[in-house]
């Protein structure tokens, strides 16, 4: 019974470490771009989203540049 509890705790700790590691990898891998509206450096994940500074809608154009949507 004690061994079972120990295994559960170890699995829990390993899972927490793995999730933390994956999150940090995603944060590092996501490109840092310049907001086309306010020219600040922002982290941008995916093909469309919001600038967290000026709240303008940003999307990735097919030619690779980032543009604001009016
Ligand atoms: Zn902005």
């Amino acid at each position: 019974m004690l061994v079972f509890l120990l295994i559960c705790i170890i699995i829990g700790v390993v899972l927490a470490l793995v999730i933390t590691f994956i999150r940090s990898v995603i944060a590092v891998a996501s490109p840092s771009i310049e907001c086309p509206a306010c020219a600040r450096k922002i982290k941008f994940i995916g093909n469309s989203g919001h600038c967290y500074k000026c709240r303008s809608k940003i999307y990735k154009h097919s030619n690779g540049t980032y543009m604001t949507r009016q």
Side-chain angles (χ1 to χ4, degrees), residues 35 38 51 54 56:
C35 174
C38 63
C51 171
C54 64
S56 55

Side-chain angles (χ1 to χ4, degrees), residues 35-40 42 51-56 58:
C35 174
C38 63
R40 290 187 182 98
I42 55 164
C51 171
Y52 71 96
K53 296 272 188 185
C54 64
R55 308 302 305 164
S56 55
I58 304 165

Side-chain angles (χ1 to χ4, degrees), residues 22 48 55:
I22 290 171
S48 64
R55 308 302 305 164

Side-chain angles (χ1 to χ4, degrees), residues 3 25 29 36 41 50 69:
V3 175
V25 166
K41 291 273 183 205
H50 285 89
R69 203 189 299 264

